[in-house]
Amino acid sequence: MYQIQYNSSADDILVYRMIPADSRSFLLTDLASGRTYDLCVLAVYEDSATGLTATRPVGCARFSTEPALQPCGAPHAPFLGGTMIIALGGVIVASVLVFIFVLLMRYKVHGGQPPGKAKTPAPVSSVCSQTNGALGPPPTAPAPEPSAPRAHTVVQLDC
């Protein structure tokens, strides 16, 4: 069997991986980006003199992983806040305009009257009034005594 040992220059944690003797390659998948690693391959065998498991270095290497791509920065807080305020203001203005439009359409549909109100009669363009010719209120005189009926009454029309 072979044993792979590696650690990062950023920490002192040594990682061990065991691989079968017939393996010719091994893929390391848990590496961090932007770090330098020291890696050694050791052959694991049973020592015939002691009967214990022993290791013999096969080779060591130093390698580095590529640095991580810098993520796109988030928009600055003032930019994000201003944009949100403008968007929210636009929604409010649009809502008010729609509300006014709906009220205007309801007003036009109901003939200029608010819904639920009875229509008033059409305005009169010419009015004639009938009077007895007196201006102002009639004087308060005592009631006349019954007399002979009048022969005629004057009526004036103001048109």
Side-chain angles (χ1 to χ4, degrees):
M1 301 233 1
Y2 290 103
Q3 180 182 36
I4 296 177
Q5 300 176 353
Y6 62 95
N7 71 331
S8 168
S9 58
D11 57 32
D12 290 329
I13 299 172
L14 190 59
V15 180
Y16 298 93
R17 297 281 188 256
M18 298 298 288
I19 58 173
D22 59 349
S23 293
R24 295 291 175 231
S25 65
F26 185 77
L27 179 64
L28 299 174
T29 58
D30 56 351
L31 302 176
S33 59
R35 292 192 178 177
T36 301
Y37 287 90
D38 293 316
L39 179 131
C40 289
V41 178
L42 304 159
V44 179
Y45 64 95
E46 183 177 329
D47 187 4
S48 58
T50 61
L52 300 174
T53 303
T55 58
R56 179 178 44 89
V58 175
C60 292
R62 176 174 280 213
F63 64 94
S64 297
T65 56
E66 293 181 14
L69 296 175
Q70 294 295 331
C72 294
H76 300 303
F79 174 74
L80 186 59
T83 303
M84 292 303 291
I85 289 172
I86 290 172
L88 185 60
V91 168
I92 291 171
V93 168
S95 299
V96 168
L97 289 175
V98 167
F99 180 72
I100 291 171
F101 181 74
V102 168
L103 287 179
L104 182 65
M105 288 294 105
R106 285 183 64 194
Y107 183 76
K108 285 189 181 269
V109 165
H110 292 285
Q113 295 293 324
K117 297 274 184 175
K119 284 193 174 185
T120 58
V124 178
S125 61
S126 65
V127 176
C128 293
S129 64
Q130 181 177 355
T131 64
N132 62 1
L135 297 175
T140 56
E145 299 212 8
S147 64
R150 291 187 182 176
H152 66 281
T153 303
V154 176
V155 175
Q156 179 182 352
L157 293 176
D158 296 323
C159 291

